Amino acid sequence: MDTGTAYGRPEPSYREELTCVRPGTPMGELLRRYWHPVGLATDATTRPRRIRILGEDLILFRDGLGRPGLLYPRCAHRGTTLYYGKVEERGIRCCYHGWLYDVNGHCLEQPCEPGGGPRRERIRQPWYPLEERYGLIFAYLGPPEKKPFLPRYECLEALQADEFIEADDSSIGSGGPPIVPCNWLQHWENVVDPFHVPVLHGWFSGPQFVEQMGLMPEVSFETTSLGVRVTSVRKLPDNTVHRRVTEAAMPTLRVVPSPRVGRYGKVESIGWVLPIDDTHYRIYVAGRVTHNGELAAMRSRMDNRLWHELSEEEHRDFPGDYEAQTGQGEITLHSEEHFGTTDKGVAFLRRFLERQLRAVAQGSDPAGVAFSEEAAYTVFEAGNYLEQ
């Protein structure tokens, strides 16, 4: 008698400490110790914009003096949303009773109060600090006394004469739409899973990148000071060797050289896997390019068509990262996993995250936070390299 049916299987579960990013959760507190992109520089305008990051709803704008601001949306007066506010030279004015807040949350005017509000300086609209770099706006949502320097990355700083930095918010690398409906960790772990490349992107769906990426690589994994590095080696038909180095680095960086291998050398771009909340993420990318739109061209899924241009049958016949990762569910059920030897990179990454969670819980600083410009300068080994 075969007793191995699905009947009576244990209630599945996921690891909340690794996946959930709301304020007060272990991962939420860890990620709040870093800077995260919340939009393109062009997203901050005199028209307030709704932003959701790490489970928090916020309002992004740029005042008349050119300063970006990120405020809690509920006006400190009577609670209506600043989404309907009017941006002026000095800040944003609430539509209900006209209270005016600057980009740091200071209440500057209370026009309905006698004298314009003699005690207005006691009011502070909750806010978060912002900095701009690489065409992106970064926010720090953590303890003010622990605010680190915003990192600079060597691969985005060392530009050739014909190169410039382009930013993109369309979730390049996800294989899907700009906002992906599953947990952020399902994508970030994919960065250190090189064996899915020849299977999902090669044998199963046909070559979705260049043909050489369909070859089964020899792979080594190592833990770095910032996360996990994966080296994949492929011997090509002409006896040259393609060495591909990929890194997952804190806080949520995907340091992935182009799988289309248009050129060899150091990684061309960095992606930030932004957890919108526990069940949605978005990828912001900044990269070295030589012409406008070069990053966006990487979004092509099949025959120069985008994800949303494919039919349901084509999604089923030629799945990519989006289908595989959202197919794990909104938050994958870790209790039902059965790891093999090829999952070493994912195991390394989870252990690395566990160490960072313990560090924050014990009052220490997690990996990669820097409190000087020099320490904030970061160099990666990632790239595509051709060797004899």
Side-chain angles (χ1 to χ4, degrees):
M1 180 179 180
D2 186 357
T3 59
T5 72
Y7 177 77
R9 67 187 186 280
E11 182 71 22
S13 61
Y14 59 84
R15 297 189 60 182
E16 182 175 352
E17 78 281 8
L18 291 180
T19 55
C20 296
V21 297
R22 301 179 306 278
T25 62
M27 185 56 68
E29 293 306 306
L30 169 59
L31 292 181
R32 280 171 172 77
R33 299 291 295 276
Y34 300 87
W35 292 89
H36 299 272
V38 295
L40 304 178
T42 52
D43 289 338
T45 70
T46 54
R47 176 73 73 177
R49 184 185 184 97
R50 289 188 177 112
I51 295 292
R52 186 165 171 80
I53 170 176
L54 301 181
E56 295 190 50
D57 292 307
L58 302 163
I59 293 294
L60 176 69
F61 66 97
R62 191 183 298 275
D63 70 15
L65 298 175
R67 301 173 300 183
L70 188 66
L71 302 184
Y72 178 64
R74 289 181 57 86
C75 176
H77 179 208
R78 296 269 297 281
T80 198
T81 176
L82 295 176
Y83 178 69
Y84 299 113
K86 179 194 294 184
V87 176
E88 303 179 0
E89 183 177 39
R90 295 193 297 160
I92 186 170
R93 190 180 297 277
C94 177
C95 72
Y96 206 5
H97 298 94
W99 287 23
L100 178 68
Y101 304 99
D102 70 10
V103 296
N104 295 325
H106 298 105
C107 186
L108 305 180
E109 293 181 13
Q110 298 172 346
C112 299
E113 294 297 309
R119 292 187 291 275
R120 60 184 179 272
E121 71 279 357
R122 300 181 182 181
I123 302 296
R124 189 78 178 268
Q125 182 72 12
W127 67 289
Y128 287 117
L130 298 176
E131 289 195 28
E132 299 185 71
R133 186 165 293 169
Y134 307 132
L136 299 169
I137 298 178
F138 292 85
Y140 176 72
L141 277 64
E145 71 278 7
K146 293 289 188 178
K147 185 177 74 172
F149 276 69
L150 179 64
R152 290 185 181 273
Y153 298 101
E154 182 255 1
C155 62
L156 300 179
E157 298 282 334
L159 302 180
Q160 299 298 316
D162 61 342
E163 291 181 325
F164 61 94
I165 296 296
E166 186 173 56
D168 185 275
D169 64 351
S170 62
S171 288
I172 295 170
S174 74
I179 295 178
V180 182
C182 73
N183 186 258
W184 68 280
L185 190 59
Q186 282 153 235
H187 179 82
W188 202 44
E189 289 180 340
N190 187 67
V191 172
V192 292
D193 174 13
F195 292 101
H196 86 279
V197 176
V199 177
L200 176 65
H201 301 298
W203 307 343
F204 201 91
S205 299
Q208 293 183 328
F209 304 131
V210 292
E211 191 170 341
Q212 69 201 58
M213 296 300 288
L215 300 173
M216 185 64 72
E218 294 182 6
V219 179
S220 60
F221 303 92
E222 58 184 315
T223 300
T224 70
S225 62
L226 292 177
V228 174
R229 180 186 299 134
V230 181
T231 302
S232 301
V233 176
R234 293 174 170 87
K235 188 172 183 180
L236 305 183
D238 63 359
N239 289 322
T240 59
V241 173
H242 175 202
R243 183 169 64 90
R244 175 177 168 81
V245 182
T246 298
E247 301 185 54
M250 295 299 289
T252 63
L253 300 188
R254 56 185 319 274
V255 193
V256 179
S258 172
R260 294 186 172 88
V261 199
R263 52 183 165 169
Y264 290 95
K266 283 209 167 185
V267 65
E268 308 94 332
S269 64
I270 291 178
W272 288 260
V273 184
L274 176 72
I276 294 173
D277 51 33
D278 296 344
T279 56
H280 298 83
Y281 74 84
R282 182 175 204 154
I283 302 174
Y284 286 93
V285 176
R288 306 190 317 273
V289 300
T290 57
H291 60 271
N292 291 322
E294 189 173 329
L295 282 183
M298 297 177 63
R299 293 181 59 210
S300 172
R301 274 289 297 266
M302 187 174 69
D303 299 327
N304 293 318
R305 288 184 293 158
L306 301 179
W307 174 87
H308 67 270
E309 296 173 320
L310 303 182
S311 69
E312 181 59 26
E313 287 306 305
E314 287 173 320
H315 284 294
R316 295 185 66 180
D317 291 341
F318 308 103
D321 289 324
Y322 174 86
E323 288 77 19
Q325 291 158 33
T326 59
Q328 294 174 294
E330 288 188 326
I331 305 179
T332 195
L333 301 173
H334 298 102
S335 64
E336 295 188 340
E337 294 176 327
H338 294 83
F339 271 28
T341 58
T342 54
D343 298 304
K344 186 180 291 185
V346 177
F348 279 13
L349 190 58
R350 291 185 188 176
R351 290 177 194 146
F352 185 87
L353 285 174
E354 289 166 357
R355 290 195 291 274
Q356 309 319 308
L357 292 173
R358 286 196 296 272
V360 171
Q362 295 167 3
S364 300
D365 296 320
V369 298
F371 299 100
S372 70
E373 285 280 5
E374 182 180 9
Y377 192 78
T378 305
V379 179
F380 293 115
E381 186 182 317
N384 284 310
Y385 305 98
L386 190 63
E387 301 169 347
Q388 300 297 321

